[in-house]
């Protein structure tokens, strides 16, 4: 059986997250169904990062095995042809038999987008949140810089979760102004459930003056979830890339 890796893109607005759930429309079930139709066999997917309901992806990565005479580019083309408009298998490549999209990932990167203007933007309503009050970009970036490094991040994931280890190594964490948006970028070895949205919600409290910057340091040392800010809405979050030692989808996309 040959092994493949796929680059997946989706608008998470109308999906109940990645993981297949009875009676709900999910990315996993929809994509596996399309691949099963094209390859004429059941397909089991392994995913780099399980996104939540409403979260988008431009650089999600999957791996799967299949017995087929189709070349990888035909797999992605034919699968996308039968997928709904909010989901696509952008690229597909052959990989080694041992490749695992989740286990072999070195890091994952997310972006969170805020449209910061007194008047909302209809064009950004599904990919960014609207914050009317003026946000201090410098203060947001100072808060983001504190997140870089290794921290106990249990304050930024639900108190009742499947996690048993809460320390994560954050490689990159910063805010920037981009095309009329404020964009938070974060890269880490792995993420806790709801971690990015909870970090953003807490940093927005810092930027609005309702929380001191110094308090974020305490939260990053293993505080309780109830002591951090609320999770920001899912629609502003996008999984933008997953890094591997040896994986190239070509075409300048990864």
């Amino acid at each position: 059986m040959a092994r493949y890796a796929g680059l997946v893109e989706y608008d998470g607005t109308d999906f109940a997250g990645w993981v297949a759930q009875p009676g709900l429309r999910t990315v996993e079930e929809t994509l596996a169904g399309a691949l099963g139709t094209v390859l004429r066999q059941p397909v089991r997917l392994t995913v780099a990062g399980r996104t939540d309901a409403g979260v988008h992806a431009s650089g999600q990565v999957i791996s799967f095995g299949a017995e087929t005479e189709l070349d990888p580019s035909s797999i992605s083309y034919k699968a996308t042809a039968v997928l709904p408009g909010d989901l696509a298998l952008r690229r597909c490549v052959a990989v080694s038999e041992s490749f695992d999209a989740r286990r072999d990932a070195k890091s994952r990167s997310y972006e969170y987008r805020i449209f910061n203007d007194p008047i909302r933007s209809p064009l950004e309503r599904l990919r960014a949140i609207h914050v009317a009050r003026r946000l201090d970009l410098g203060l947001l970036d100072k808060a983001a810089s504190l997140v870089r490094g290794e921290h106990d991040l249990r304050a930024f994931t639900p108190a009742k979760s499947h996690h048993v280890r809460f320390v994560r190594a954050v490689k990159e964490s910063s805010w920037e102004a981009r095309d009329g948006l404020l964009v938070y970028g974060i890269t880490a070895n792995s993420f806790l459930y709801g971690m990015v949205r909870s970090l953003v919600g807490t940093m927005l409290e810092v930027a609005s003056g309702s929380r001191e910057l110094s308090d974020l340091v305490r939260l990053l040392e293993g505080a309780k979830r109830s002591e951090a800010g609320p999770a920001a809405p899912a629609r502003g979050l996008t999984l933008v890339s997953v890094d591997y030692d040896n994986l190239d989808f070509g075409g300048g996309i990864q």
Side-chain angles (χ1 to χ4, degrees), residues 142-205:
K142 286 181 180 178
S145 69
L146 296 175
V147 179
R148 288 195 291 269
E150 192 169 273
H151 303 284
D152 184 330
L153 296 165
R154 70 186 68 210
F156 303 98
T157 192
K160 293 182 179 180
S161 74
H162 65 276
H163 297 294
V164 294
R165 189 179 67 85
F166 298 92
V167 174
R168 294 294 185 272
V170 178
K171 299 180 179 180
E172 300 291 341
S173 173
S174 63
W175 285 88
E176 66 172 325
R178 186 199 306 165
D179 300 326
L181 300 166
L182 296 182
V183 182
Y184 176 56
I186 180 171
T187 299
N189 60 339
S190 63
F191 287 80
L192 299 171
Y193 177 80
M195 173 179 149
V196 181
R197 293 168 55 202
S198 298
L199 281 167
V200 170
T202 304
M203 286 188 278
L204 287 177
E205 290 186 338

Short mmCIF file of all heavy atoms in Angstrom, two decimals, residues 142-205:
data_model
loop_
_atom_site.label_atom_id
_atom_site.label_comp_id
_atom_site.label_asym_id
_atom_site.label_seq_id
_atom_site.Cartn_x
_atom_site.Cartn_y
_atom_site.Cartn_z
N LYS A 142 4.09 43.37 22.87
CA LYS A 142 4.82 43.14 24.12
C LYS A 142 4.25 41.92 24.84
O LYS A 142 5.00 41.09 25.37
CB LYS A 142 4.74 44.37 25.02
CG LYS A 142 5.60 45.54 24.57
CD LYS A 142 5.47 46.70 25.54
CE LYS A 142 6.32 47.88 25.10
NZ LYS A 142 6.18 49.05 26.01
N ALA A 143 2.92 41.81 24.83
CA ALA A 143 2.28 40.65 25.45
C ALA A 143 2.68 39.37 24.72
O ALA A 143 2.99 38.35 25.33
CB ALA A 143 0.76 40.82 25.45
N ALA A 144 2.70 39.45 23.38
CA ALA A 144 3.04 38.27 22.59
C ALA A 144 4.47 37.82 22.84
O ALA A 144 4.76 36.62 22.86
CB ALA A 144 2.85 38.57 21.10
N SER A 145 5.36 38.77 23.05
CA SER A 145 6.77 38.41 23.29
C SER A 145 6.94 37.61 24.57
O SER A 145 7.85 36.78 24.68
CB SER A 145 7.63 39.68 23.34
OG SER A 145 7.36 40.45 24.50
N LEU A 146 6.06 37.83 25.54
CA LEU A 146 6.13 37.08 26.80
C LEU A 146 5.76 35.61 26.61
O LEU A 146 6.16 34.75 27.40
CB LEU A 146 5.20 37.70 27.84
CG LEU A 146 5.52 39.13 28.30
CD1 LEU A 146 4.44 39.63 29.24
CD2 LEU A 146 6.89 39.20 28.97
N VAL A 147 5.00 35.34 25.54
CA VAL A 147 4.54 33.97 25.30
C VAL A 147 5.65 33.11 24.71
O VAL A 147 5.64 31.88 24.85
CB VAL A 147 3.31 33.99 24.36
CG1 VAL A 147 2.82 32.58 24.05
CG2 VAL A 147 2.19 34.81 24.99
N ARG A 148 6.63 33.74 24.06
CA ARG A 148 7.73 32.96 23.48
C ARG A 148 8.51 32.23 24.56
O ARG A 148 8.74 32.75 25.65
CB ARG A 148 8.66 33.87 22.68
CG ARG A 148 8.06 34.36 21.38
CD ARG A 148 9.11 34.94 20.46
NE ARG A 148 9.67 36.19 20.96
CZ ARG A 148 9.19 37.40 20.67
NH1 ARG A 148 8.13 37.52 19.89
NH2 ARG A 148 9.77 38.48 21.15
N GLY A 149 8.92 31.00 24.24
CA GLY A 149 9.66 30.19 25.19
C GLY A 149 8.84 29.01 25.69
O GLY A 149 7.77 28.71 25.16
N GLU A 150 9.33 28.34 26.69
CA GLU A 150 8.65 27.17 27.25
C GLU A 150 7.86 27.57 28.48
O GLU A 150 8.40 28.15 29.42
CB GLU A 150 9.68 26.10 27.60
CG GLU A 150 9.08 24.75 27.91
CD GLU A 150 10.14 23.65 28.00
OE1 GLU A 150 10.48 23.07 26.95
OE2 GLU A 150 10.63 23.41 29.11
N HIS A 151 6.55 27.26 28.47
CA HIS A 151 5.67 27.67 29.57
C HIS A 151 4.68 26.56 29.91
O HIS A 151 4.35 25.72 29.07
CB HIS A 151 4.87 28.92 29.19
CG HIS A 151 5.71 30.09 28.77
ND1 HIS A 151 6.39 30.87 29.67
CD2 HIS A 151 5.97 30.60 27.54
CE1 HIS A 151 7.04 31.82 29.02
NE2 HIS A 151 6.80 31.68 27.73
N ASP A 152 4.16 26.63 31.14
CA ASP A 152 3.04 25.80 31.55
C ASP A 152 1.78 26.59 31.19
O ASP A 152 1.45 27.59 31.82
CB ASP A 152 3.10 25.54 33.07
CG ASP A 152 1.99 24.61 33.54
OD1 ASP A 152 0.91 24.59 32.92
OD2 ASP A 152 2.19 23.92 34.55
N LEU A 153 1.07 26.13 30.17
CA LEU A 153 -0.02 26.91 29.59
C LEU A 153 -1.41 26.40 29.98
O LEU A 153 -2.38 26.60 29.25
CB LEU A 153 0.13 26.93 28.07
CG LEU A 153 1.39 27.63 27.56
CD1 LEU A 153 1.64 27.30 26.10
CD2 LEU A 153 1.28 29.14 27.76
N ARG A 154 -1.53 25.79 31.13
CA ARG A 154 -2.83 25.23 31.54
C ARG A 154 -3.88 26.33 31.74
O ARG A 154 -5.09 26.03 31.71
CB ARG A 154 -2.67 24.38 32.80
CG ARG A 154 -2.37 25.13 34.07
CD ARG A 154 -2.10 24.15 35.20
NE ARG A 154 -0.86 23.43 34.98
CZ ARG A 154 -0.64 22.18 35.42
NH1 ARG A 154 -1.57 21.54 36.10
NH2 ARG A 154 0.53 21.60 35.19
N ALA A 155 -3.47 27.57 31.91
CA ALA A 155 -4.43 28.67 32.05
C ALA A 155 -5.14 28.97 30.74
O ALA A 155 -6.14 29.69 30.72
CB ALA A 155 -3.73 29.93 32.55
N PHE A 156 -4.65 28.39 29.64
CA PHE A 156 -5.18 28.72 28.32
C PHE A 156 -5.82 27.52 27.62
O PHE A 156 -5.89 27.47 26.40
CB PHE A 156 -4.06 29.32 27.46
CG PHE A 156 -3.44 30.53 28.10
CD1 PHE A 156 -2.25 30.42 28.80
CD2 PHE A 156 -4.06 31.77 28.04
CE1 PHE A 156 -1.67 31.52 29.42
CE2 PHE A 156 -3.51 32.87 28.65
CZ PHE A 156 -2.31 32.76 29.35
N THR A 157 -6.28 26.57 28.41
CA THR A 157 -7.03 25.43 27.88
C THR A 157 -8.10 25.08 28.92
O THR A 157 -7.91 25.35 30.12
CB THR A 157 -6.11 24.23 27.62
OG1 THR A 157 -6.81 23.24 26.85
CG2 THR A 157 -5.58 23.61 28.89
N PRO A 158 -9.26 24.56 28.50
CA PRO A 158 -10.31 24.23 29.47
C PRO A 158 -9.80 23.38 30.62
O PRO A 158 -8.97 22.48 30.44
CB PRO A 158 -11.33 23.47 28.62
CG PRO A 158 -11.16 24.03 27.25
CD PRO A 158 -9.68 24.27 27.11
N ALA A 159 -10.31 23.66 31.82
CA ALA A 159 -9.88 22.93 33.01
C ALA A 159 -10.13 21.43 32.87
O ALA A 159 -9.33 20.60 33.32
CB ALA A 159 -10.60 23.48 34.24
N LYS A 160 -11.25 21.08 32.23
CA LYS A 160 -11.54 19.67 31.97
C LYS A 160 -11.15 19.37 30.52
O LYS A 160 -11.84 19.76 29.58
CB LYS A 160 -13.03 19.39 32.18
CG LYS A 160 -13.46 19.53 33.64
CD LYS A 160 -14.93 19.18 33.81
CE LYS A 160 -15.36 19.29 35.27
NZ LYS A 160 -16.79 18.94 35.45
N SER A 161 -10.04 18.71 30.34
CA SER A 161 -9.56 18.38 28.99
C SER A 161 -8.83 17.05 29.03
O SER A 161 -8.61 16.47 30.09
CB SER A 161 -8.63 19.48 28.46
OG SER A 161 -7.37 19.42 29.11
N HIS A 162 -8.44 16.57 27.82
CA HIS A 162 -7.73 15.29 27.73
C HIS A 162 -6.24 15.45 27.97
O HIS A 162 -5.52 14.46 28.06
CB HIS A 162 -7.95 14.68 26.35
CG HIS A 162 -7.35 15.48 25.24
ND1 HIS A 162 -8.01 16.56 24.68
CD2 HIS A 162 -6.16 15.39 24.60
CE1 HIS A 162 -7.24 17.09 23.74
NE2 HIS A 162 -6.12 16.40 23.67
N HIS A 163 -5.76 16.68 28.12
CA HIS A 163 -4.32 16.92 28.28
C HIS A 163 -3.83 16.47 29.66
O HIS A 163 -4.50 16.69 30.67
CB HIS A 163 -3.99 18.39 28.08
CG HIS A 163 -4.30 18.91 26.71
ND1 HIS A 163 -3.64 18.48 25.57
CD2 HIS A 163 -5.22 19.81 26.28
CE1 HIS A 163 -4.13 19.10 24.52
NE2 HIS A 163 -5.09 19.91 24.91
N VAL A 164 -2.67 15.87 29.69
CA VAL A 164 -2.02 15.51 30.95
C VAL A 164 -0.71 16.28 31.12
O VAL A 164 -0.16 16.36 32.21
CB VAL A 164 -1.74 13.98 31.03
CG1 VAL A 164 -3.06 13.22 31.07
CG2 VAL A 164 -0.88 13.51 29.87
N ARG A 165 -0.20 16.84 30.03
CA ARG A 165 1.01 17.64 30.07
C ARG A 165 0.70 19.01 29.47
O ARG A 165 0.16 19.09 28.37
CB ARG A 165 2.14 16.97 29.27
CG ARG A 165 3.50 17.62 29.44
CD ARG A 165 4.56 16.88 28.63
NE ARG A 165 4.33 17.01 27.20
CZ ARG A 165 4.76 18.04 26.47
NH1 ARG A 165 5.42 19.03 27.06
NH2 ARG A 165 4.54 18.09 25.18
N PHE A 166 1.02 20.07 30.19
CA PHE A 166 0.60 21.41 29.78
C PHE A 166 1.76 22.31 29.35
O PHE A 166 1.54 23.45 28.97
CB PHE A 166 -0.17 22.07 30.92
CG PHE A 166 -1.43 21.33 31.29
CD1 PHE A 166 -1.41 20.37 32.29
CD2 PHE A 166 -2.61 21.58 30.63
CE1 PHE A 166 -2.57 19.68 32.63
CE2 PHE A 166 -3.78 20.90 30.96
CZ PHE A 166 -3.75 19.94 31.96
N VAL A 167 2.97 21.81 29.41
CA VAL A 167 4.13 22.61 28.99
C VAL A 167 4.26 22.54 27.48
O VAL A 167 4.24 21.46 26.89
CB VAL A 167 5.42 22.11 29.67
CG1 VAL A 167 6.63 22.85 29.10
CG2 VAL A 167 5.34 22.29 31.17
N ARG A 168 4.38 23.71 26.85
CA ARG A 168 4.56 23.80 25.41
C ARG A 168 5.72 24.76 25.10
O ARG A 168 5.93 25.74 25.83
CB ARG A 168 3.30 24.28 24.71
CG ARG A 168 2.11 23.31 24.81
CD ARG A 168 2.39 22.03 24.05
NE ARG A 168 1.25 21.12 24.01
CZ ARG A 168 0.97 20.20 24.92
NH1 ARG A 168 1.74 20.08 26.00
NH2 ARG A 168 -0.08 19.40 24.77
N ALA A 169 6.45 24.48 24.03
CA ALA A 169 7.56 25.33 23.60
C ALA A 169 7.08 26.21 22.45
O ALA A 169 6.81 25.70 21.35
CB ALA A 169 8.75 24.49 23.17
N VAL A 170 6.95 27.50 22.70
CA VAL A 170 6.48 28.45 21.68
C VAL A 170 7.69 29.09 21.01
O VAL A 170 8.47 29.79 21.65
CB VAL A 170 5.58 29.53 22.31
CG1 VAL A 170 5.14 30.54 21.26
CG2 VAL A 170 4.36 28.88 22.96
N LYS A 171 7.85 28.84 19.71
CA LYS A 171 9.01 29.34 18.96
C LYS A 171 8.82 30.77 18.50
O LYS A 171 9.75 31.58 18.54
CB LYS A 171 9.27 28.44 17.75
CG LYS A 171 9.60 26.99 18.10
CD LYS A 171 9.84 26.19 16.83
CE LYS A 171 10.18 24.74 17.16
NZ LYS A 171 10.41 23.94 15.92
N GLU A 172 7.62 31.08 18.03
CA GLU A 172 7.34 32.43 17.52
C GLU A 172 6.02 32.91 18.09
O GLU A 172 5.06 32.14 18.20
CB GLU A 172 7.27 32.44 15.99
CG GLU A 172 8.54 31.98 15.30
CD GLU A 172 9.68 32.97 15.45
OE1 GLU A 172 9.41 34.15 15.77
OE2 GLU A 172 10.85 32.57 15.27
N SER A 173 5.96 34.18 18.44
CA SER A 173 4.73 34.78 18.95
C SER A 173 4.83 36.28 18.75
O SER A 173 5.64 36.94 19.40
CB SER A 173 4.56 34.44 20.44
OG SER A 173 3.45 35.12 21.00
N SER A 174 4.02 36.83 17.86
CA SER A 174 4.11 38.26 17.57
C SER A 174 2.84 38.75 16.90
O SER A 174 2.10 37.98 16.28
CB SER A 174 5.32 38.57 16.68
OG SER A 174 5.18 37.94 15.42
N TRP A 175 2.61 40.06 17.00
CA TRP A 175 1.51 40.74 16.32
C TRP A 175 2.09 41.66 15.25
O TRP A 175 3.16 42.22 15.42
CB TRP A 175 0.70 41.58 17.29
CG TRP A 175 -0.20 40.82 18.21
CD1 TRP A 175 0.12 40.28 19.42
CD2 TRP A 175 -1.58 40.52 17.99
NE1 TRP A 175 -0.97 39.65 19.97
CE2 TRP A 175 -2.03 39.79 19.11
CE3 TRP A 175 -2.48 40.79 16.96
CZ2 TRP A 175 -3.34 39.34 19.24
CZ3 TRP A 175 -3.79 40.34 17.07
CH2 TRP A 175 -4.21 39.61 18.20
N GLU A 176 1.35 41.82 14.15
CA GLU A 176 1.74 42.76 13.12
C GLU A 176 0.50 43.36 12.45
O GLU A 176 -0.57 42.75 12.46
CB GLU A 176 2.61 42.09 12.06
CG GLU A 176 1.90 41.03 11.23
CD GLU A 176 2.75 40.53 10.08
OE1 GLU A 176 3.51 41.33 9.51
OE2 GLU A 176 2.66 39.32 9.76
N ALA A 177 0.68 44.56 11.90
CA ALA A 177 -0.36 45.19 11.09
C ALA A 177 -0.18 44.70 9.66
O ALA A 177 0.92 44.77 9.12
CB ALA A 177 -0.24 46.71 11.17
N ARG A 178 -1.26 44.18 9.05
CA ARG A 178 -1.15 43.64 7.70
C ARG A 178 -2.46 43.84 6.94
O ARG A 178 -3.50 43.32 7.33
CB ARG A 178 -0.82 42.15 7.76
CG ARG A 178 -0.54 41.51 6.40
CD ARG A 178 -0.66 40.01 6.46
NE ARG A 178 0.18 39.41 7.49
CZ ARG A 178 0.03 38.16 7.93
NH1 ARG A 178 -0.93 37.41 7.43
NH2 ARG A 178 0.82 37.69 8.87
N ASP A 179 -2.40 44.61 5.87
CA ASP A 179 -3.56 44.81 4.98
C ASP A 179 -4.81 45.24 5.75
O ASP A 179 -5.91 44.73 5.52
CB ASP A 179 -3.86 43.51 4.20
CG ASP A 179 -2.69 43.07 3.34
OD1 ASP A 179 -1.98 43.93 2.83
OD2 ASP A 179 -2.49 41.84 3.19
N GLY A 180 -4.63 46.18 6.65
CA GLY A 180 -5.76 46.70 7.41
C GLY A 180 -6.20 45.84 8.58
O GLY A 180 -7.20 46.14 9.24
N LEU A 181 -5.44 44.78 8.85
CA LEU A 181 -5.76 43.87 9.95
C LEU A 181 -4.65 43.87 10.99
O LEU A 181 -3.51 44.22 10.69
CB LEU A 181 -5.94 42.44 9.44
CG LEU A 181 -7.04 42.18 8.42
CD1 LEU A 181 -6.84 40.81 7.79
CD2 LEU A 181 -8.41 42.26 9.06
N LEU A 182 -4.98 43.45 12.20
CA LEU A 182 -3.98 43.11 13.20
C LEU A 182 -3.92 41.58 13.22
O LEU A 182 -4.94 40.92 13.41
CB LEU A 182 -4.37 43.65 14.58
CG LEU A 182 -4.47 45.16 14.72
CD1 LEU A 182 -4.81 45.54 16.15
CD2 LEU A 182 -3.18 45.84 14.28
N VAL A 183 -2.73 41.04 12.98
CA VAL A 183 -2.58 39.59 12.83
C VAL A 183 -1.60 39.05 13.87
O VAL A 183 -0.47 39.52 13.97
CB VAL A 183 -2.09 39.22 11.42
CG1 VAL A 183 -1.98 37.71 11.29
CG2 VAL A 183 -3.03 39.78 10.36
N TYR A 184 -2.07 38.08 14.64
CA TYR A 184 -1.22 37.40 15.61
C TYR A 184 -0.71 36.11 15.01
O TYR A 184 -1.48 35.28 14.52
CB TYR A 184 -2.01 37.09 16.88
CG TYR A 184 -1.23 36.29 17.91
CD1 TYR A 184 -0.02 36.76 18.42
CD2 TYR A 184 -1.72 35.08 18.40
CE1 TYR A 184 0.70 36.04 19.37
CE2 TYR A 184 -1.03 34.36 19.35
CZ TYR A 184 0.18 34.84 19.83
OH TYR A 184 0.89 34.12 20.77
N GLY A 185 0.61 35.93 15.01
CA GLY A 185 1.21 34.70 14.52
C GLY A 185 1.90 33.94 15.64
O GLY A 185 2.62 34.54 16.44
N ILE A 186 1.66 32.65 15.70
CA ILE A 186 2.27 31.83 16.75
C ILE A 186 2.68 30.48 16.18
O ILE A 186 1.93 29.85 15.43
CB ILE A 186 1.31 31.65 17.96
CG1 ILE A 186 1.97 30.80 19.06
CG2 ILE A 186 -0.03 31.08 17.52
CD1 ILE A 186 1.19 30.76 20.36
N THR A 187 3.89 30.05 16.53
CA THR A 187 4.43 28.75 16.13
C THR A 187 4.88 28.01 17.38
O THR A 187 5.57 28.58 18.22
CB THR A 187 5.62 28.91 15.17
OG1 THR A 187 5.20 29.58 13.99
CG2 THR A 187 6.20 27.55 14.80
N ALA A 188 4.48 26.75 17.51
CA ALA A 188 4.87 25.95 18.68
C ALA A 188 5.04 24.50 18.26
O ALA A 188 4.58 24.08 17.20
CB ALA A 188 3.82 26.07 19.78
N ASN A 189 5.70 23.74 19.14
CA ASN A 189 5.89 22.33 18.84
C ASN A 189 4.55 21.60 18.80
O ASN A 189 4.33 20.72 17.97
CB ASN A 189 6.85 21.69 19.86
CG ASN A 189 6.36 21.78 21.29
OD1 ASN A 189 5.53 22.63 21.64
ND2 ASN A 189 6.87 20.91 22.14
N SER A 190 3.64 21.97 19.68
CA SER A 190 2.27 21.46 19.66
C SER A 190 1.40 22.42 20.47
O SER A 190 1.91 23.30 21.16
CB SER A 190 2.20 20.04 20.25
OG SER A 190 2.60 20.04 21.62
N PHE A 191 0.09 22.23 20.36
CA PHE A 191 -0.85 23.18 20.97
C PHE A 191 -1.84 22.45 21.87
O PHE A 191 -2.26 21.32 21.58
CB PHE A 191 -1.61 23.94 19.90
CG PHE A 191 -0.78 24.97 19.18
CD1 PHE A 191 0.09 24.59 18.16
CD2 PHE A 191 -0.85 26.31 19.52
CE1 PHE A 191 0.87 25.53 17.50
CE2 PHE A 191 -0.08 27.26 18.87
CZ PHE A 191 0.78 26.87 17.86
N LEU A 192 -2.23 23.12 22.94
CA LEU A 192 -3.31 22.65 23.78
C LEU A 192 -4.64 23.01 23.13
O LEU A 192 -4.72 23.94 22.32
CB LEU A 192 -3.23 23.30 25.17
CG LEU A 192 -1.97 23.05 25.98
CD1 LEU A 192 -1.96 23.95 27.21
CD2 LEU A 192 -1.87 21.59 26.39
N TYR A 193 -5.69 22.29 23.51
CA TYR A 193 -7.03 22.59 23.00
C TYR A 193 -7.42 24.02 23.38
O TYR A 193 -7.37 24.41 24.55
CB TYR A 193 -8.04 21.60 23.60
CG TYR A 193 -9.47 21.85 23.21
CD1 TYR A 193 -9.94 21.44 21.97
CD2 TYR A 193 -10.34 22.51 24.07
CE1 TYR A 193 -11.25 21.68 21.60
CE2 TYR A 193 -11.65 22.76 23.72
CZ TYR A 193 -12.10 22.34 22.47
OH TYR A 193 -13.39 22.58 22.11
N GLY A 194 -7.80 24.83 22.38
CA GLY A 194 -8.25 26.20 22.64
C GLY A 194 -7.15 27.17 23.03
O GLY A 194 -7.44 28.31 23.39
N MET A 195 -5.90 26.77 22.94
CA MET A 195 -4.78 27.57 23.45
C MET A 195 -4.64 28.93 22.76
O MET A 195 -4.54 29.97 23.44
CB MET A 195 -3.49 26.76 23.28
CG MET A 195 -2.20 27.49 23.59
SD MET A 195 -0.81 26.34 23.36
CE MET A 195 0.47 27.46 22.84
N VAL A 196 -4.66 28.97 21.45
CA VAL A 196 -4.43 30.23 20.74
C VAL A 196 -5.56 31.21 21.00
O VAL A 196 -5.33 32.39 21.29
CB VAL A 196 -4.27 30.00 19.23
CG1 VAL A 196 -4.01 31.33 18.52
CG2 VAL A 196 -3.12 29.04 18.95
N ARG A 197 -6.79 30.74 20.94
CA ARG A 197 -7.94 31.63 21.16
C ARG A 197 -7.94 32.19 22.58
O ARG A 197 -8.30 33.36 22.80
CB ARG A 197 -9.22 30.88 20.87
CG ARG A 197 -9.39 30.52 19.39
CD ARG A 197 -10.52 29.54 19.18
NE ARG A 197 -11.75 30.04 19.74
CZ ARG A 197 -12.78 29.28 20.11
NH1 ARG A 197 -12.71 27.96 19.98
NH2 ARG A 197 -13.87 29.82 20.61
N SER A 198 -7.52 31.39 23.55
CA SER A 198 -7.47 31.87 24.94
C SER A 198 -6.34 32.86 25.14
O SER A 198 -6.48 33.84 25.88
CB SER A 198 -7.32 30.69 25.90
OG SER A 198 -8.42 29.81 25.80
N LEU A 199 -5.21 32.63 24.48
CA LEU A 199 -4.11 33.59 24.54
C LEU A 199 -4.54 34.92 23.94
O LEU A 199 -4.28 35.99 24.50
CB LEU A 199 -2.89 33.05 23.79
CG LEU A 199 -2.03 32.02 24.52
CD1 LEU A 199 -1.06 31.36 23.54
CD2 LEU A 199 -1.27 32.66 25.68
N VAL A 200 -5.20 34.87 22.78
CA VAL A 200 -5.66 36.10 22.13
C VAL A 200 -6.66 36.84 23.01
O VAL A 200 -6.57 38.06 23.18
CB VAL A 200 -6.28 35.78 20.76
CG1 VAL A 200 -6.97 37.02 20.19
CG2 VAL A 200 -5.21 35.30 19.79
N GLY A 201 -7.61 36.12 23.57
CA GLY A 201 -8.60 36.76 24.44
C GLY A 201 -7.97 37.45 25.63
O GLY A 201 -8.37 38.54 26.03
N THR A 202 -6.92 36.84 26.18
CA THR A 202 -6.22 37.43 27.32
C THR A 202 -5.40 38.63 26.88
O THR A 202 -5.37 39.66 27.57
CB THR A 202 -5.30 36.37 27.99
OG1 THR A 202 -6.10 35.24 28.36
CG2 THR A 202 -4.64 36.94 29.23
N MET A 203 -4.72 38.54 25.74
CA MET A 203 -3.94 39.67 25.24
C MET A 203 -4.83 40.86 24.88
O MET A 203 -4.43 42.02 25.03
CB MET A 203 -3.10 39.24 24.04
CG MET A 203 -1.90 38.38 24.43
SD MET A 203 -0.74 38.06 23.07
CE MET A 203 -1.58 36.70 22.26
N LEU A 204 -6.05 40.60 24.43
CA LEU A 204 -6.99 41.69 24.15
C LEU A 204 -7.38 42.41 25.44
O LEU A 204 -7.61 43.63 25.43
CB LEU A 204 -8.23 41.16 23.44
CG LEU A 204 -8.03 40.75 21.98
CD1 LEU A 204 -9.31 40.16 21.40
CD2 LEU A 204 -7.57 41.94 21.15
N GLU A 205 -7.45 41.69 26.54
CA GLU A 205 -7.71 42.34 27.82
C GLU A 205 -6.55 43.25 28.20
O GLU A 205 -6.75 44.35 28.73
CB GLU A 205 -7.94 41.29 28.91
CG GLU A 205 -9.24 40.53 28.78
CD GLU A 205 -9.50 39.61 29.96
OE1 GLU A 205 -8.53 39.23 30.65
OE2 GLU A 205 -10.67 39.26 30.20
#
